[in-house]
Amino acid sequence: MPPVLTGVADYSFLAVLVGYAFTGLVAPLWGPRAARVSLYAATAVALAAALYMSLAFAPAQGYTTAFNGALVIDTYSVFLLSTVVIVFALAAMAASRIVDYWEAGEAFYAVMGLMALGVIVLGLARLLYLVYVGWILAAVSSYILVALYRDAISAEAAIKYAVNGTIATIILLLGLTLFYIVHGDAAISPGLLIRDALLVTPTVAMVAVAVGFKMGVVPFHGWLIDVYGNAKPLVIAVASAAAKIIAALMIAKLVAPFAVVEPHIVLWTMGVLAALTMLYGNLGALLTVRDSPQKLLAYSSVAQAGYIVVGFAALARLPGIDNVAALAGIALHTAGYAFSKLASFLVLDTACEDDRPCSWERLRGLAYRSPVAAAALVLALASLAGAPPTLGFWGKLYLLIAAVSASPALAALMVINFAVAVFYYGYMIYMVFTGPREAAGGRPGAREAAALIAALFTVLLGLAPWEGYGLTLYAYTTA
């Protein structure tokens, strides 16, 4: 590995750390506008660092380390972290004319800066205690974010989120303790010191449970429907996207070593959770399709979590399983989900304003009142449903290829769930074009523009899906 690359990695991480720390701790002192501009600047630094490091990975076999091995930077993590910082920047853009007038408007941008910092530390950490520090920072920031709107519904949602998140954090701590015992080292790397199934199984299970709480995996999803289905869509647009990316980084980082040396445990544990989550999420969305579009998107978030967990099951290093397709599917599907949910919830925030939970009446005829918002929502829902050539299509295709090679029964269940999802996403698109044909009202606002940009990302990134096959994950591909 070229020594200069390690030095560049150190300075790049420091620049990103300083940028987001400044956004979260210092910039708010000058008000919301300064905090927002600081967030944009930190995002630009982060994306520049990600681009440079990605181009420099070729001679370093897909990854490099920083700070004497405390951090490891691989292309899988860089891809997902680039996605999350873009999501935060678009959310800041969407909030510019709204959050600035809140009582604690500057806190919105500060919390997003600290959350971004937590996700980046978590995603790049090679040491278990850094993983935990990143998790805590990102988790606490997300609880505060949900509560910032300062009404009764947001307060209740934040409490539920925080209580369940605290449980997840405790379970994660126990899982990391067991990880240290079976691995024999605080540094994440291939290989295990102890391969006793009595220790390995609860270690995988505890990590899955902790991350399952975060991303809404059944049966740890109870909080998600209430929070995503009732809180202000603007903040849920950020929280929902960040939660899945955190989960994709955590599971890949902590389960990868077990997927190599104890693949059967990973396959069965993740496979069962995936099946339950897909079924519950899609059936819940189908049965409550007439209740509220926001509640429908909440249930669909559960279903989408199930698809991602299918990819984790297919990481099991067994003969015949297409592990490369699994890793590509996880990355592409998670990114597609993040951009699609951001766009969808931003459109609901525009259409419904203070009507919570958002009603179908507010969505009817949206194509005529706000063509930009309608276009963003249609593209986002098309990606969630898996329509080509969106990122959602390629993510689901790669996950299905991996599932067929790992478990044909699980793959068949995926196809059934895909078909169910097409119905309720189609119903939501239908509602956008039905109803009174009111004239479009004025120029599109910041939320509509941000939603459309996010939705377009699902199309643009979907034009080069083969890039997903070039992603590498340090603790997995080096085994």
Side-chain angles (χ1 to χ4, degrees), residues 62-147:
Y63 75 94
T64 189
T65 58
F67 294 98
N68 294 323
L71 305 178
V72 62
I73 306 169
D74 52 49
T75 50
Y76 173 85
S77 300
V78 167
F79 177 76
L80 288 179
L81 292 175
S82 299
T83 299
V84 81
V85 298
I86 293 172
V87 165
F88 288 156
L90 289 174
M93 172 184 169
S96 58
R97 302 274 178 95
I98 302 167
V99 172
D100 291 5
Y101 300 102
W102 290 4
E103 185 178 347
E106 65 276 0
F108 181 85
Y109 306 109
V111 168
M112 281 206 298
L114 293 176
M115 190 189 301
L117 184 57
V119 177
I120 290 169
V121 170
L122 181 154
L124 302 181
R126 184 169 171 258
L127 301 177
L128 293 179
Y129 59 83
L130 286 180
V131 172
Y132 195 68
V133 168
W135 170 280
I136 292 289
L137 183 55
V140 173
S141 299
S142 64
Y143 311 149
I144 297 172
L145 188 70
V146 172

Side-chain angles (χ1 to χ4, degrees), residues 308-365:
I308 296 171
V309 178
V310 169
F312 294 133
L315 286 179
R317 189 68 65 81
L318 290 169
I321 296 183
D322 193 340
N323 306 127
V324 177
L327 192 63
I330 293 168
L332 296 184
H333 187 76
T334 303
Y337 169 92
F339 286 123
S340 298
K341 285 293 181 176
L342 176 69
S344 301
F345 279 114
L346 286 180
V347 170
L348 290 191
D349 196 70
T350 301
C352 300
E353 293 295 343
D354 293 325
D355 180 17
R356 287 188 289 153
C358 185
S359 66
W360 284 110
E361 283 304 314
R362 293 297 191 97
L363 210 60
R364 286 167 57 87

